[in-house]
């Protein structure tokens, strides 16, 4: 449709981050081709992407572990870049089902890279995670730090996928890759039409807080109040999903016409405690949230936040939305869609 912008394949484009990125890409005039197998997403997001993006995104139902299906997709469709979101992402599930996590997250990455090589697609943006910094580095994390020593199989699949992509780039002088290391994505599109809708019981703080605020959850536990932090609770770098989505556009602009592999932290550079987040959410929803303290959750680090200067310097990207905006936007989504997409 657009004349000088790339057509982009979004693997896992119906998920939380994929759907917000699809909308921002369309708002910026890109054509998108979404492929998803709905393992952790809902078909009902597609008409909403159309509503917000102004036109119907092209869509294929596909599991990226299906090598023949991936080959067929690349043979039949033309696009210049891939944003690879598809993957399993539940940390505790990855501990109990490690083989499934390695098989799924690594095979899908391998299949995408094979097909890119065969069909001459030159650019990839990969959904990575701050979890690659492991437990040995002190916050704030910067991209020069050694990665690895991840605390769970999910994190290891992100670390290994980064390795695989950077080796593929080293072997192919025409490839360009950007690894985006997300911190803690929260928030929703300002319209309240799309947002995070995890299957079953959520694991992450914000969907739990949001569902607790609507009455869908009975308890809100704060895991640990004896960390060495000012209020005793863990601190994280929460980033608005719309800022994160825009970072993908900056990454595409950056690699277009370039080769090599570059990693960027995508965070705000500011950390908030669990109690500060709950407090901000109380303001946004206008309700008191009666949380309870519970023991520490295994594997949690006291503090994680980004040194986000590299993205600002090289991508020209900087987070713009603050914690109050993140909470307001989540509340708009959650209160308008208390049971998520399909109810
Ligand atoms: C944030 C803080 C909890 C739930 C994880 C993955 C990471 C990335 C994002 C994604 C912690 C506390 C939580 C609750 C609580 N992966 N908490 N009560 O652990 O920083 O990051 O999700 O796909 O790789 O590790 O995020 O939102 O789970 O937790 O007190 O009911 O909230 O202890 O301090 P985390 P989170």
């Amino acid at each position: 449709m657009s004349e000088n912008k790339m057509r982009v394949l979004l693997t896992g484009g119906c998920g939380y981050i994929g759907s917000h990125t699809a909308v921002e890409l369309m708002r910026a005039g890109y054509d998108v081709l979404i492929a998803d197998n709905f393992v952790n997403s809902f078909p009902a997001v597609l008409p909403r992407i159309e509503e917000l993006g102004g036109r119907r995104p092209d869509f294929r139902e596909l599991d990226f572990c299906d090598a023949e299906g991936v080959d067929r997709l690349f043979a039949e469709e033309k696009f210049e870049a891939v944003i690879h979101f598809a993957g399993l992402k539940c940390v505790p599930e990855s501990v109990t089902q490690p083989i499934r996590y390695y098989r799924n997250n690594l095979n899908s990455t391998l299949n995408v890279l094979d097909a890119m090589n065969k069909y001459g697609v030159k650019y990839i943006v990969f959904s990575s995670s701050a979890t690659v910094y492991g437990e040995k580095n002190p916050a704030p994390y910067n991209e020069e730090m050694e990665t690895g020593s991840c605390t769970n199989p999910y994190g290891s699949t992100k670390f290994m996928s980064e390795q695989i992509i950077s080796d593929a780039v080293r072997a192919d002088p025409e490839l360009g890759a950007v690894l985006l290391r997300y911190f803690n994505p929260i928030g929703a599109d300002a319209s309240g039409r799309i947002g995070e809708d995890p299957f079953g019981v959520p694991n992450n703080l914000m969907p739990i807080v949001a569902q607790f605020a609507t009455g869908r959850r009975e308890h809100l536990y704060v895991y640990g109040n004896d960390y060495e932090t000012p209020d005793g609770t863990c601190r994280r770098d929460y980033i608005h999903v719309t800022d994160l989505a825009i970072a993908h556009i900056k990454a595409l602009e950056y690699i277009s016409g370039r080769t090599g592999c570059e990693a960027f932290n995508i965070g705000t550079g500011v950390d908030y405690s669990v109690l500060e987040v709950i407090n901000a959410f109380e303001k946004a929803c206008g309700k008191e949230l009666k949380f309870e303290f519970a023991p520490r959750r295994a594997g949690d680090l006291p503090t994680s936040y980004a040194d986000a200067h590299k993205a600002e310097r090289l991508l020209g990207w900087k987070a713009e939305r603050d914690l109050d905006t993140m909470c307001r936007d989540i509340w708009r989504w959650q209160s308008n869609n208390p049971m998520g997409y399909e109810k």
Side-chain angles (χ1 to χ4, degrees):
M1 177 181 266
S2 41
E3 279 169 24
N4 43 17
K5 296 224 165 122
M6 295 191 250
R7 184 169 190 240
V8 186
L9 169 66
L10 273 56
T11 80
C14 289
Y16 172 44
I17 299 170
S19 58
H20 285 81
T21 304
V23 166
E24 292 308 323
L25 281 166
M26 292 166 77
R27 284 173 174 158
Y30 286 83
D31 280 334
V32 301
L33 166 59
I34 294 174
D36 202 298
N37 65 349
F38 302 119
V39 69
N40 192 23
S41 60
F42 298 93
V45 74
L46 284 165
R48 301 209 185 179
I49 293 174
E50 176 178 357
E51 176 190 319
L52 300 178
R55 58 193 188 279
R56 185 185 296 267
D58 295 324
F59 175 75
R60 292 269 191 133
E61 187 163 345
L62 179 65
D63 179 346
F64 279 84
C65 290
D66 168 9
E68 279 174 24
V70 174
D71 188 277
R72 220 174 305 123
L73 173 76
F74 276 69
E76 291 172 7
E77 298 279 356
K78 283 267 161 291
F79 40 84
E80 286 74 48
V82 180
I83 307 183
H84 183 34
F85 296 106
L88 300 173
K89 62 160 191 176
C90 176
V91 170
E93 191 176 72
S94 80
V95 175
T96 56
Q97 303 175 28
I99 309 304
R100 177 171 168 239
Y101 268 67
Y102 286 113
R103 179 172 292 127
N104 186 87
N105 291 2
L106 299 183
N107 277 347
S108 57
T109 301
L110 294 168
N111 289 339
V112 166
L113 289 168
D114 257 344
M116 286 176 65
N117 182 264
K118 183 168 168 191
Y119 293 97
V121 177
K122 300 294 175 211
Y123 305 122
I124 180 167
V125 177
F126 177 63
S127 249
S128 191
S129 166
T131 190
V132 300
Y133 291 110
E135 51 184 355
K136 295 192 181 143
N137 292 302
Y141 304 127
N142 68 62
E143 296 85 348
E144 301 299 308
M145 289 173 168
E146 198 178 321
T147 52
S149 327
C150 299
T151 52
N152 56 75
Y154 159 78
S156 298
T157 68
K158 291 296 178 189
F159 169 69
M160 290 176 185
S161 290
E162 284 199 356
Q163 294 285 306
I164 291 167
I165 292 167
S166 72
D167 286 342
V169 167
R170 209 166 298 135
D172 181 349
E174 292 188 0
L175 268 190
V178 168
L179 313 172
L180 295 182
R181 295 176 179 160
Y182 310 156
F183 279 70
N184 287 58
I186 64 168
D189 186 78
S191 64
R193 295 292 290 154
I194 59 173
E196 186 170 15
D197 184 17
F199 274 24
V201 181
N203 289 286
N204 297 114
L205 178 64
M206 286 322 286
I208 294 173
V209 169
Q211 293 187 7
F212 181 71
T214 62
R216 187 169 158 191
R217 305 258 147 245
E218 274 187 33
H219 297 280
L220 172 58
Y221 296 113
V222 172
Y223 298 133
N225 60 354
D226 57 352
Y227 285 96
E228 282 187 21
T229 57
D231 66 15
T233 66
C234 292
R235 304 183 68 84
R236 295 288 181 272
D237 184 338
Y238 296 93
I239 164 104
H240 196 297
V241 67
T242 299
D243 281 328
L244 178 62
I246 292 168
H248 293 78
I249 300 180
K250 296 290 186 184
L252 286 176
E253 289 170 357
Y254 173 82
I255 38 168
S256 168
R258 261 203 190 89
T259 57
C261 181
E262 210 61 62
F264 295 96
N265 287 341
I266 303 298
T268 62
V270 180
D271 56 325
Y272 288 101
S273 74
V274 178
L275 295 185
E276 286 167 341
V277 168
I278 292 176
N279 203 264
F281 204 86
E282 285 179 327
K283 266 199 293 169
C285 72
K287 301 180 189 186
E288 188 190 352
L289 300 177
K290 293 207 170 90
F291 63 84
E292 301 154 66
F293 284 114
R296 290 181 179 198
R297 192 174 69 173
D300 275 343
L301 300 169
T303 302
S304 160
Y305 66 101
D307 174 340
H309 289 102
K310 184 178 174 187
E312 188 174 355
R313 208 171 58 243
L314 297 184
L315 300 182
W317 173 89
K318 195 172 187 296
E320 287 176 356
R321 291 158 181 83
D322 64 12
L323 182 63
D324 289 336
T325 307
M326 300 182 213
C327 291
R328 239 191 353 258
D329 289 341
I330 300 174
W331 184 239
R332 194 175 298 111
W333 154 252
Q334 194 70 40
S335 52
N336 289 341
N337 305 270
M339 298 306 280
Y341 281 110
E342 292 217 311
K343 297 104 198 168

